[in-house]
Amino acid sequence: MTLTTRISRLQAGTAKIGCLLNPLGGQVRKRAAAIREALRAIPDLMVCEAQDALTFKTTIEQLLQADIDLLVIVAGDGTTHAIFGHLFAARAPADWPLIMIVPGGTTNMTPLDLGMQGKPEQIIQRLHHYLRQPTAPHLVQRPVLRIEQPDIPAIYGMFFAVGLVARGVKFSRSPVKQIGITGGIFTALIMLRSLFGMLFGRQQSAWSPVTMTLTEANGRMHRGTYLFTLVSALHCLLLNIRPYWGKEPEPLHVTLVDQRHKRLWRSLWPLLSGGGHVLREQEGYYSHNTARMTIEMDDEYIVDGELYRSAPQSPITIAATEPVTFLVL
């Protein structure tokens, strides 16, 4: 079924809607009763709960076989990342249902960047109201990162990072996560710890920079040791951080900060606030937009908060997929 047909059904009030709920998501655990009540209020909504790789796969297969027009994901970035993998393995994005992501996890960069503001149950209630009085839907299209290494199945996600950002995510998997903090406070804690590592942790192996070679689609090569490298299809990251300033008309944003940076204290605000155009490549700050690149390194990296490991002599290729269509309420 075409995307146009699914949009027409949604606008006509005849769309078939399925929901994948991860009961282990950080926000879902805190607000489970209110979220489930809001979901139960939507007539004919097909709700499936899934919480691990196997149930994610079987649930997506079940929902696709039901020929739903809209897939509502109530979960965080990690679950959405896993669902993307199963969807891409099953179909091309043109044959997907529309996607709506309700921020139900510990970190929710993707739905927040798309414009999904509010508590999970409030967003579900907005969906219920929309379905009762449908109008032309507000749709946002974004590509997804396709990350490939030899002999490893492709990985899909919205955000890739190495260096201190990956170290910060690894820190978040430590006992600090067992405290039960979620949402903005947890995000701020991770960002502050990463910032501390950036400023003071260069000599500590746990917070060391990453040595890598990044080759752009046009053949330009960046080789060195970097505090961090970010690649994203998102415009804003956690806490509304906007560390990109490339002007090229390409879908993926890339930023590198060299270990030999200058004036880091003075550069932090423009680097994080979207004012990076004042930073200079000669001083260790570089950002551009592209559709494809290759990275060679022997280190850990993250995709949407999930930790992976690269291998020597095993280049990582990152490319933009065709756009995915999201419903935003």
Side-chain angles (χ1 to χ4, degrees), residues 18-40:
C19 173
L20 187 152
L21 171 72
N22 183 351
L24 301 183
Q27 288 297 313
V28 174
R29 291 199 310 270
K30 292 173 61 176
R31 317 186 68 82
I35 290 171
R36 287 192 169 94
E37 181 180 357
L39 290 172
R40 284 194 296 268

Side-chain angles (χ1 to χ4, degrees), residues 31 35 46 57 85 101-102 116 141 148-149 156 160 170 182 186 190 215 224 231 235-236 239 241 283 285 302 313 328:
R31 317 186 68 82
I35 290 171
M46 183 178 179
K57 184 176 187 297
I101 307 176
V102 178
M116 300 293 282
Q141 287 197 319
E148 296 180 283
Q149 285 183 260
Y156 295 90
F160 169 99
K170 189 173 183 179
T182 61
F186 183 78
I190 301 309
T215 305
V231 184
H235 300 328
C236 296
L239 304 178
I241 292 173
E283 296 181 346
Y285 306 92
I302 61 162
Q313 290 80 50
V328 177

Side-chain angles (χ1 to χ4, degrees), residues 115-160:
M116 300 293 282
Q117 302 293 330
K119 298 175 181 178
E121 65 272 21
Q122 293 172 338
I123 295 173
I124 296 167
Q125 289 164 0
R126 293 205 298 267
L127 173 63
H128 188 190
H129 176 76
Y130 172 82
L131 294 173
R132 287 184 296 179
Q133 298 178 323
T135 58
H138 176 52
L139 304 175
V140 175
Q141 287 197 319
R142 294 283 174 80
V144 176
L145 309 181
R146 178 183 173 94
I147 301 151
E148 296 180 283
Q149 285 183 260
D151 304 319
I152 297 176
I155 299 168
Y156 295 90
M158 303 299 286
F159 177 71
F160 169 99

Side-chain angles (χ1 to χ4, degrees), residues 161-209:
V162 298
L164 294 176
V165 177
R167 315 289 189 230
V169 170
K170 189 173 183 179
F171 164 74
S172 74
R173 304 300 176 84
S174 68
V176 68
K177 191 170 185 179
Q178 309 309 315
I179 299 173
I181 301 173
T182 61
I185 297 176
F186 183 78
T187 297
L189 177 64
I190 301 309
M191 294 304 297
L192 286 172
R193 186 62 185 90
S194 297
L195 182 60
F196 183 86
M198 182 189 303
L199 297 174
F200 305 110
R202 271 190 255 171
Q203 304 306 316
Q204 303 175 26
S205 59
W207 292 89
S208 59

Side-chain angles (χ1 to χ4, degrees), residues 21-68:
L21 171 72
N22 183 351
L24 301 183
Q27 288 297 313
V28 174
R29 291 199 310 270
K30 292 173 61 176
R31 317 186 68 82
I35 290 171
R36 287 192 169 94
E37 181 180 357
L39 290 172
R40 284 194 296 268
I42 300 177
D44 302 318
L45 177 64
M46 183 178 179
V47 180
C48 302
E49 296 197 11
Q51 60 188 43
D52 55 36
L54 178 60
T55 54
F56 291 152
K57 184 176 187 297
T58 56
T59 297
I60 290 300
E61 290 173 349
Q62 178 184 358
L63 292 172
L64 291 178
Q65 288 174 1
D67 197 27
I68 60 172

